[in-house]
Amino acid sequence: MAGRNFLFVPGPTNVPDRILRAMSVAAEDHRSPDFPRLTQACLEGLKTVFKTTVGHPILFPSSGTGCWEAALTNCLSPGEKVLIARFGQFSHLWADMCRRLGFEVEILETPWGEGAPIDRYLSALEADRQHTIKAVLVCQNETATGVASDVAAVRRAMDSIQHPALLFVDAVSALASIDFRMDEWAVDVCISGSQKGLMLPAGLGVVCVSQKALETAKRTTSRRCYFDFGDMVAANASGYFPYTPSLQMMYALRESLGMLAEEGLENVFRRHRYLAGGARAAVMQGWKLKLCAADSKWYSDTVTAVLVPPGVDAAAVITRAYTRYNLSLGAGLSKVAGKLFRIGHLGDLNELMLLGALAGSEMAMLDIGMNIEPGSGVAAAQSYWRNS
Ligand code: PLP
């Protein structure tokens, strides 16, 4: 099919040409005297993105899932307990990983479409008088449902009763698109990946670790080797890695960090909010459909999950969009399979690109016989952006 694929899944996202060019470099010796310059540029630049001065950014050659595992195996001993709210496929997978790795998991079952239930986190922590909960896990942006949660409020709940657990945040589809504050929220491990807001290919696990988490990792006894925080931080201190790093991905990351700095991180967040506003206007005012996110306080600025009416198969919209219009939309996962489709709007994106995705979604919905007004979503988004 002529023209480019319209990639509107919520990650991997579009890789800007500038980044593609930056990573098109010959191999280099990762033990050369010059190599630490690249390492330092990446790690220092990431501190700005994580909003930390005291945390340690770490790059693992993995995806976000590897970083979930790193957080757990570094900071917990076998059988120790974690607390997590489950409200979508990614919080589910993280909770499941905890169980599979042999940790005890207290799950706060939460309807899909809602975000982190702060009061229930608090009650669970209050009930834990012996402080057996060693880590509190929160998914900042549940990509499966388009729901963003209030991480600062989870930290406030923990502090209000001086619970000493570590705070782990999954910011895989939030970092560099939705505000995240490592130091201010006293996050102990923030987990992210390269293929979302950082606009890179998949392949770098991007983590930030607090001093408290590093100290804890010295005492824990879970088995780990490749994902050891201590080995990584020790080698990074002189600008090197404990094993071969992905040089091309690091050049790509340095470029991405440069682009984010040029735009300004706060402007990046504003752009994501502004674009998301247009997508939501298309869904609710234009198409008269509902979001999976049950309340405006949970609206995600990086992904919009659109519920289709009963009797309609959302998978048919996605298939039609892909096969007829070369538009990739995100599928409904697990519990919400067939019930929704997702429009990812994060990374290197502007209004006209997103209008293309909204137009394509609209055509696909009409083609499969959905009862929406032709042009209504595009018009609602245009009007939102023209008036914002
Ligand atoms: N957490 C969230 C919120 C995600 O959206 C994803 C992937 O989309 C993951 C974790 C898993 O990350 P990865 O696919 O990079 O392993």
Side-chain angles (χ1 to χ4, degrees):
M1 208 181 275
R4 279 184 97 143
N5 170 253
F6 261 59
L7 183 61
F8 279 83
V9 294
T13 63
N14 297 299
V15 181
D17 293 345
R18 226 176 112 173
I19 291 182
L20 289 173
R21 282 194 295 272
M23 65 189 297
S24 179
V25 291
E28 282 173 33
D29 176 11
H30 61 286
R31 302 191 200 283
S32 80
D34 289 333
F35 191 76
R37 275 211 296 268
L38 179 58
T39 308
Q40 296 309 346
C42 289
L43 299 184
E44 282 306 311
L46 278 174
K47 282 188 179 177
T48 310
V49 173
F50 281 111
K51 294 197 173 171
T52 187
T53 54
V54 291
H56 299 265
I58 290 178
L59 297 172
F60 285 117
S62 79
S63 71
T65 304
C67 302
W68 278 346
E69 185 159 333
L72 298 169
T73 56
N74 276 274
C75 298
L76 299 164
S77 293
E80 282 188 337
K81 186 168 168 186
V82 303
L83 175 68
I84 181 171
R86 170 156 63 187
F87 43 77
Q89 181 64 0
F90 294 101
S91 40
H92 161 69
L93 288 173
W94 200 10
D96 191 51
M97 175 187 275
C98 297
R99 186 187 57 75
R100 289 169 63 180
L101 289 172
F103 302 109
E104 195 188 330
V105 195
E106 181 172 344
I107 299 181
L108 303 171
E109 293 295 355
T110 306
W112 289 33
E114 295 185 10
I118 307 302
D119 47 345
R120 292 174 57 214
Y121 268 103
L122 179 60
S123 310
L125 292 167
E126 274 172 341
D128 179 39
R129 299 214 189 286
Q130 306 300 320
H131 294 164
T132 57
I133 295 171
K134 299 298 176 197
V136 173
L137 280 51
V138 191
C139 185
Q140 185 183 5
N141 191 72
E142 177 48 85
T143 323
T145 56
V147 158
S149 287
D150 187 350
V151 177
V154 177
R155 165 48 73 197
R156 281 196 299 275
M158 293 170 73
D159 287 354
S160 70
I161 54 165
Q162 295 179 346
H163 198 291
L166 298 172
L167 176 59
F168 297 172
V169 177
D170 173 335
V172 173
S173 57
L175 193 75
S177 332
I178 297 175
D179 198 8
F180 174 83
R181 305 177 185 194
M182 182 84 187
D183 289 358
E184 191 179 317
W185 301 341
V187 173
D188 292 294
V189 186
C190 175
I191 291 125
S192 197
S194 49
Q195 76 276 20
K196 310 252 183 192
L198 291 172
M199 309 172 285
L200 308 173
L204 274 187
V206 184
V207 193
C208 195
V209 183
S210 73
Q211 198 55 40
K212 181 177 167 189
L214 274 187
E215 292 303 321
T216 307
K218 290 181 187 156
R219 298 189 299 272
T220 54
T221 56
S222 292
R223 282 172 186 257
R224 61 189 185 257
C225 176
Y226 194 73
F227 285 117
D228 195 275
F229 287 160
D231 291 352
M232 195 54 102
V233 169
N236 285 172
S238 54
Y240 296 98
F241 284 78
Y243 38 75
T244 319
S246 172
L247 178 97
Q248 283 78 6
M249 286 294 279
M250 289 176 66
Y251 275 110
L253 174 60
R254 190 177 68 174
E255 190 70 17
S256 151
L257 294 168
M259 289 176 71
L260 293 168
E262 283 165 28
E263 185 174 353
L265 202 51
E266 303 307 317
N267 291 331
V268 171
F269 302 149
R270 266 194 284 276
R271 174 168 55 82
H272 280 81
R273 171 145 299 184
Y274 163 80
L275 290 174
R280 290 191 284 263
V283 176
M284 293 188 286
Q285 290 155 33
W287 304 329
K288 312 270 186 254
L289 294 174
K290 290 198 168 78
L291 300 179
C292 182
D295 191 286
S296 58
K297 70 179 176 198
W298 290 314
Y299 287 171
S300 162
D301 288 337
T302 59
V303 54
T304 295
V306 186
L307 290 171
V308 296
V312 175
D313 181 8
V317 179
I318 297 163
T319 304
R320 180 70 183 173
Y322 186 72
T323 54
R324 177 70 177 84
Y325 303 112
N326 203 11
L327 164 66
S328 296
L329 297 170
L333 302 172
S334 158
K335 252 193 202 182
V336 287
K339 295 185 181 159
L340 59 80
F341 68 89
R342 295 174 297 149
I343 305 171
H345 33 78
L346 70 165
D348 183 43
L349 209 66
N350 59 30
E351 299 97 322
L352 296 192
M353 292 162 83
L354 187 46
L355 272 178
L358 296 173
S361 304
E362 202 162 278
M363 288 194 284
M365 286 190 284
L366 288 164
D367 291 353
I368 67 147
M370 277 176 68
N371 183 21
I372 58 164
E373 178 66 28
S376 58
V378 168
Q382 287 171 329
S383 160
Y384 178 89
W385 288 323
R386 291 182 58 232
N387 295 310
S388 294

